[in-house]
Structures are given as structure tokens and as C-alpha cells.
Amino acid sequence: MTSVLLLAIAFVRHNLWILIMLLLWPWLFSGALSFEGETQISDYAANLQQESFYGILIIGFMATAALNNEQKSRRIIAVLSKAVSRGEYLASFLLGVFLVALGFTLSVAIATWIATLRIHPSLVHLPVFLLAVLISALWIASLSLMFSTFLPPLLTTICTGLGVALTLLGLHSLNPAWALLAPTSSIFLALAADPLSSSWRLGWLPLTTAMIEILVFLAIGAWSFQYRDLTRALE
Amino acid sequence: MAQPVLQYESVSKIYRSLLTRRKHTALQDFTLAVFPGKIVGFLGPNGAGKTTAIHIALGLNRPSSGRGSLLGKPFGDVGSRRRVGFLAENVAFYHLSAKELLHLYGALNAVREPALSHVVRQLLNKFDIADVGDRSIAKFSRGMLQRVGLAQALVNDPDLLILDEPTSALDPASRLTVRSVLLRTREAGKSVFLSSHLLSELEMVCDRIIVLNRGRVVLEGRTRELLESHEQCEVVLRQARNFAVPPSAKDVTSNNGELRFNVPRQTQREVIEAAWSAGAELVSVNSVRRTLEELFLETTDENVRHQGPKA
């Protein structure tokens, strides 16, 4: 577990500029909104949705090229020649993505809270909304990590995109069975609704199922990663 | 007999292109055992399969067939890697400071504080990077990176040190440091598996030499025995004015009244008798000592490449 945490921190430090951008971005947008004259609650809600949407995509797709970058730069050799298993190595990327996503959602939460102090909207659903953002980002990251263990980066991105698209397609034919199989479709549906409205709802079942799926994707990725040669170039 | 610290048993590695299914055999029926307290030199031309063999031992690649063990455990075992120090040929690390890197790699090999900080300080001093220990390695030269690489390979006080071209970018002073590290590692009863193209370095420190060519072992043995030629001997004569040097003699030199030349081992007796008959005094007859470079060129295709194709 120590190895996973150490490598996750190294991953975050290596992607420091993305983290800084994600931490500052909500403040810039919330600040810009606050300086506009007559800002409505709906403007903040739309801003929050937009931030969350792009945040999910940026964070989720951070993992797409992570493994390939490490392999291309040969840093993977220095790490996996130590007492680190491939499963731990893969988990460290996911933990790194989690840390970035946590920083982003906290930044969004504080920026939104401060920006909306004047107009007192209902922020009661904001924690669950941001938890859904975090889990969605992790779900995409774990899906792309799984694909990246056996596919090249371009195909990884395409397959991850297809995975997200399929769940979005599920929004149109939402029935209980689909919601259970593709929990992110319910989550995406909730994220598309106004998070500052008192009627906003998201049950715990899709969140829990999504978390289980994240672990399943990680386990499949770790299993497939076992069989991969890490250095293929001729000396 | 002690258990080998590194053992390959008929290991082959075939790379297949995903699209064309074209095959490339990197290692073929590779068998080798490295025993404790030995420095084993591993050489071969580029593309011979040296790095592939090392990566298989560390579990980075999987063999197509065959098996092997690292410190008594099958290849790929995480626990055994805790007792291994490894420096890759093209060293690449996270862009942290040298000190942070050594702490990270030490911690990954389960070295805990306060011992870790102590070892890191020692290694930074040993490899002369203490002054720049807090600077990001992104600004380091290749030689400095290689010193960081050597330091990280030693941070866990390994039982087996696997070094792939450890001195290629180092200055002479740093090479001396590496040589003393290798010799001290052997004195401590630990083993070193050393792949290098710097043949003079290998000749100085290695107990055994393995030459790999096109994925196969073409020569293996004790360094001293390998460098002693069994085909040629050097004859030294005095007062050899009336002696006619035989046509088979090579490298004939005359200095301070001494005549030296090399002759094939099978003509040695004949030549000595001829020298005595001519009234010459026989000073010595010794096996010719070859250099590792000569041996390398003899046993690999490099000789052909070096001299060009025969007419």
C-alpha cells in the first residue's frame, strides 16, 4: 500500500500542471461570474455543470496515456524492477487520478460556496453532486487504464470514448436493468440536472455500483497487465 | 554447492509483430547460472539479447519458453526483487530531485527510515552528487543521471546487482568509484551481473565472462582461462643470432638481445628444438594472453563487420 501511495504522489507531481490548472479553474470561473452584475442561481448551476463536465473528461482521460507514457519514457523499468507488483503499479495511477479529482472537487466546492455566499442557494446536494463527479472521473480513468493494459493509446482513447458513449446512449433507454449494469448512465443523468435545485436527486445504488465497477476494471486491467511485455524494442 | 542467485534454464524469447506476425528471436535456449560472490560479465554485440535476458530476469518481459529463478524465486516474483539492485541502460526517472528519487526507490524496496536517510546521504556522497542532491534531475547531464542510477541501484543494499552499461557515460574518476563498488560488493559475498561494452572494464573486474551472439551463448568461462590462448604460445630466446625464425611465427620483435615471437602451440616443441640446435638460450615459453576485445571479435560477428566482407 505504501508503494501505491508513493507512486501515486510521484504521478501527481509529474502531472502538476494539470493539477494546478484544475485547482485554479473553478476559482477563475466562479470569480468571473461574481464580477458580472446580475448573476442568477441558474448561472452558478450551469457553471458548476460545465466545470464538472470538463473536469470529468480531463481527469478521466488523464489515465488514457499514463501507462504508455511511462513505458515510452522507460520510467516503468526503474519502478517495476523494484519490489512493486504490476497490480500495485496500475492502482497507483488510479490513486493518482483520485487525488487529482479530489483536489478538483474540493476546489469546486469551496469556490462555489464562496461565490454563492451573496445569493444563498441550496448547497445541500453539492457534496453528493461532487462525489458523483469524482466517481465518474474515476470510472472513466479505470476504464481507460484497463484498456491501456492491452491496447495502444489511440485505441484506448477510442474504446474509452465508446464506453462513455454507450452509457450515455443508455440515458435514452433507461430501465432498471440498464441502470444497474451501467450505473454511470444514472450518474450522468443526475449530473445533467440542476445541482443547486432542491429537487436534485441521486441514489446511493448507482454510486456504489460504479465504485464496484471501478474495482472490477482495475482487477481486469491488473490481470491483463501481467501478460504484457514492457520492453519490446530491440537493444 | 551454493544456490545460484540468478539462473536461466533454456530460456527463449521470440517477439512477434502484431500485424505482420513476423518473428524475431531475441534469446534462444539461454542457460546460465550466476553464483554468490561472483562478478559475471555479460557481453555481446548490439541486439544480441543481453537486455532482453536481464528484463526477463526482472519480470519486465516474459520468456516464450524455459524458466529461471532470481534469488531462488521464479522470475517475476516481487519479493525477490526487493534484494536486487538494477540499473537500466537508458536510465529514466521521475523528474524529482536526486535525494527524493533515492528516497522513493529505497521506500519501494521496503527500506524504512531512519536507515533510508542514512543510506541516501552516504550514496549521494559516494557518487559525488550531494551538492546537487536537491536539484531536479531534469537538469542533470547523462553522466550525473547515471550516477543517480547507480545510487538508486544500491539504495537497498542488494544481494544481486544487475547493471546494464553502468559506466558508458561516466568520467574516469566515476568509473574508478564504480569499480571499487563492484569489488566491495563481491568482497561482501554478493553478486554482480554486469552487461557492458567497455571490455577493458569487464576484463579487470569479472570472474566469469559470458558472450552472447544472436540470442545464443557463444562463449562462457572463467575470465583468466578464456583470456589465455590455447592455440598460441610466446617464445622468448637469447643469443639467437643463428636461429632462423620459422615462417609460422607472428609478432616477431627483438629487443635488448631478446627475440620474442608467437607460434602455434602444435609447433612449439619443434621450434624449441630448432632454437637449441642453433645455440639459442630459451628464456621462457608462455601461453599468449589475449585481450577481451580480441576474444569478443573472435566469437561474434563483429569480426566480420569490423574487417568487411571477404573478397
Side-chain angles (χ1 to χ4, degrees), chain B residues 30-49:
Chain B
F30 180 59
T31 298
L32 165 76
V34 176
F35 288 93
K38 300 283 177 210
I39 302 179
V40 176
F42 194 36
L43 54 144
N46 293 331

Side-chain angles (χ1 to χ4, degrees), chain A residues 71 86 227-232, chain B residues 13 15 60-62:
Chain A
Q71 201 169 352
R86 294 193 183 193
Y227 298 97
R228 177 162 159 183
D229 281 341
L230 301 180
T231 56
R232 300 195 64 139
Chain B
K13 179 68 188 175
Y15 291 110
L60 298 171
N61 289 354
R62 294 165 65 86

Side-chain angles (χ1 to χ4, degrees), chain A residues 139 143 158-171 178 188:
Chain A
W139 186 86
L143 187 68
I158 292 171
C159 288
T160 309
L162 281 174
V164 175
L166 277 174
T167 54
L168 288 174
L169 274 177
L171 294 176
W178 176 264
F188 289 153

